[in-house]
Amino acid sequence: MLKKIISALLSVTILFSLAGCGEKTGSSKEKDSGTITVTDHSGKTVEVPKNIQRIAVCSIFPLPSVLSVFFDSAEKIVGMPEQSMTAAKNSLLSELYPEILNANTGYMNGSEINTEELLALKPDIVFYSASDSKIAAQLQHIGIPAVGISVNKWDYNAIETLDHWIELLDQIFPENEKAKTVSDYSAKIYDKVQKRVSKLSDEERAKVFFLFQYSESTIMTSGDNFFGDWWAESIGAKNVAKEIKGDNAQPVNFEQVYAWDPQIVFITNFNKAQPDDLYNNTIGTYDWSGLDAVKNHRVYKMPLGIYRSYTPGADTPITLLWLAKSTYPQLFDDIDITKETKDYYSKVFGIELSDEQAHSIFNPGSAAGSGF
């Protein structure tokens, strides 16, 4: 009987030992499988390769520029939308990383993907807009690891959105960790601006208008739920179009702009207009001359660093500081925006800009506004 009991105990011990070995083996295989599992901004769990060498981007236009400074190289980017390429050709991005110009743009036609052309690029991973379910379904169908990136999940808060973009990239590319550095610097700039503008009375808060898109037939701006409204609030100003309820860009008629009579107009790089086009009424039949902003020459073209600064991107903290200084020059008269820009690129991304390069960010041409 004793022998039977001992034999039974030994059998149980061996079974538990084997079970333990099985668990360790499974864990080891997952660890060494060559993949990383992440949750993207659409809430999907995605398994991506650890050693990613080829990246394609769909429908998330600022991301190629963010990836370039994240890696301090654009060599991994094999494909991106034409709208991203237009910005690259007309900004510092192609000067800092000329290899970005080798990226293919032919697989995207508006919001449509040519999956055959995309597959021909042999991407290891594809990034796309998390809100675009159609593209998500296409990418899932062809079996490429696809990660959704959101532009509006954080209520168009440009700083918070950028922080989450970099945080997700850190998970996918842990060797390039930058999340804390970017977040800390952004928070520092934001707090600096808030400390100064918080003392403004309601009467002192400037009335601003964001000219998002502009042509002979169209004027589009930011209502209460787009980046322009966040920018305005973040610099202690009033978005005159806040009364418009709606997500993303909203069309307005010229009579409404006159009724608002903004003190400042900020022109984005999603259109080709320059301040002189408003001062001299060179586009369409619009007559801007009666607006307060035009009378006082307070029309400004937004910065163009490595992408169109109206959206989240690597230039977001500097854009915030520039907007605040442009709106309230006396409050920020001690800020040397060129020096701040050079310090930011150096400390956060290890990129040393010349004075000329930093200065060019705040004096963009019109070409980047093509295609919208």
Side-chain angles (χ1 to χ4, degrees):
M1 177 62 73
L2 181 61
K3 287 181 179 180
K4 287 182 179 180
I5 293 171
I6 291 172
S7 177
L9 288 171
L10 284 171
S11 297
V12 171
T13 302
I14 290 168
L15 284 173
F16 275 114
S17 298
L18 289 172
C21 288
E23 287 178 6
K24 288 178 183 177
T25 302
S27 174
S28 176
K29 282 183 179 178
E30 183 176 348
K31 182 178 179 182
D32 299 327
S33 65
T35 62
I36 297 173
T37 301
V38 298
T39 301
D40 71 9
H41 295 161
S42 68
K44 293 179 181 177
T45 300
V46 187
E47 193 172 90
V48 301
K50 283 183 180 178
N51 183 26
I52 294 172
Q53 296 300 320
R54 300 178 67 81
I55 300 170
V57 178
C58 300
S59 69
I60 188 85
F61 303 154
L63 195 63
S65 62
V66 174
L67 287 164
S68 297
V69 294
F70 183 80
F71 295 121
D72 193 18
S73 168
E75 291 181 358
K76 292 178 184 284
I77 302 170
V78 296
M80 63 185 189
E82 183 62 41
Q83 293 89 337
S84 303
M85 180 63 80
T86 302
K89 289 177 178 178
N90 295 283
S91 70
L92 277 179
L93 186 59
S94 57
E95 185 175 334
L96 295 171
Y97 307 110
E99 64 271 19
I100 194 77
L101 301 176
N102 297 325
N104 183 286
T105 61
Y107 61 94
M108 290 290 298
N109 181 15
S111 59
E112 299 291 325
I113 297 179
N114 184 317
T115 53
E116 289 185 4
E117 290 195 26
L118 178 59
L119 284 169
L121 296 177
K122 299 180 180 179
D124 299 315
I125 189 172
V126 176
F127 292 101
Y128 69 98
S129 174
S131 61
D132 196 327
S133 57
K134 181 180 178 181
I135 285 182
Q138 283 183 287
L139 295 174
Q140 184 176 11
H141 180 70
I142 61 178
I144 301 175
V147 175
I149 302 287
S150 179
V151 296
N152 58 3
K153 187 175 182 178
W154 298 278
D155 299 321
Y156 293 107
N157 180 321
I159 284 179
E160 191 174 357
T161 302
L162 177 62
D163 285 350
H164 282 283
W165 287 3
I166 301 295
E167 183 181 25
L168 183 55
L169 292 179
D170 269 7
Q171 295 176 44
I172 299 171
F173 308 98
E175 68 278 8
N176 292 85
E177 186 176 4
K178 284 186 174 66
K180 188 177 186 307
T181 305
V182 172
S183 181
D184 287 352
Y185 200 99
S186 296
K188 175 186 170 185
I189 295 295
Y190 183 82
D191 290 345
K192 177 187 287 189
V193 171
Q194 296 311 301
K195 186 177 179 180
R196 300 191 187 190
V197 302
S198 63
K199 299 173 183 177
L200 294 168
S201 67
D202 189 63
E203 293 74 21
E204 291 173 321
R205 294 178 65 197
K207 296 191 303 178
V208 303
F209 176 73
F210 285 87
L211 189 53
F212 177 66
Q213 289 184 350
Y214 181 43
S215 69
E216 293 183 357
S217 58
T218 303
I219 297 175
M220 299 191 78
T221 190
S222 168
D224 71 333
N225 195 32
F226 199 29
F227 293 115
D229 195 62
W230 181 82
W231 286 120
E233 289 193 4
S234 297
I235 60 171
K238 297 177 182 178
N239 171 24
V240 296
K242 191 177 181 70
E243 65 189 60
I244 299 177
K245 308 299 178 184
D247 184 67
N248 213 293
Q250 299 294 318
V252 294
N253 60 58
F254 198 56
E255 290 72 21
Q256 183 61 72
V257 178
Y258 253 83
W260 288 326
D261 194 21
Q263 296 166 298
I264 298 171
V265 174
F266 289 113
I267 306 173
T268 77
N269 288 284
F270 287 90
N271 66 78
K272 298 173 71 173
Q274 292 285 348
D276 280 348
D277 291 312
L278 272 62
Y279 296 146
N280 300 316
N281 298 315
T282 58
I283 297 176
T285 58
Y286 304 110
D287 181 4
W288 295 82
S289 61
L291 288 185
D292 188 289
V294 173
K295 290 176 182 177
N296 293 296
H297 272 66
R298 300 203 69 189
V299 179
Y300 307 104
K301 187 75 169 177
M302 290 191 70
L304 179 65
I306 59 171
Y307 188 72
R308 305 172 181 95
S309 61
Y310 180 77
T311 70
D315 296 303
T316 288
I318 293 301
T319 300
L320 179 63
L321 193 58
W322 175 86
L323 283 168
K325 182 177 174 67
S326 299
T327 305
Y328 304 111
Q330 292 182 330
L331 278 182
F332 295 89
D333 62 348
D334 61 316
I335 299 297
D336 182 336
I337 198 69
T338 299
K339 181 179 182 303
E340 291 281 349
T341 302
K342 291 177 65 178
D343 288 348
Y344 168 65
Y345 268 77
S346 178
K347 291 176 181 177
V348 177
F349 300 114
I351 298 170
E352 303 300 329
L353 297 181
S354 66
D355 286 346
E356 292 74 19
Q357 287 173 322
H359 179 73
S360 71
I361 292 173
F362 307 103
N363 297 274
S366 298
S370 302
F372 293 99

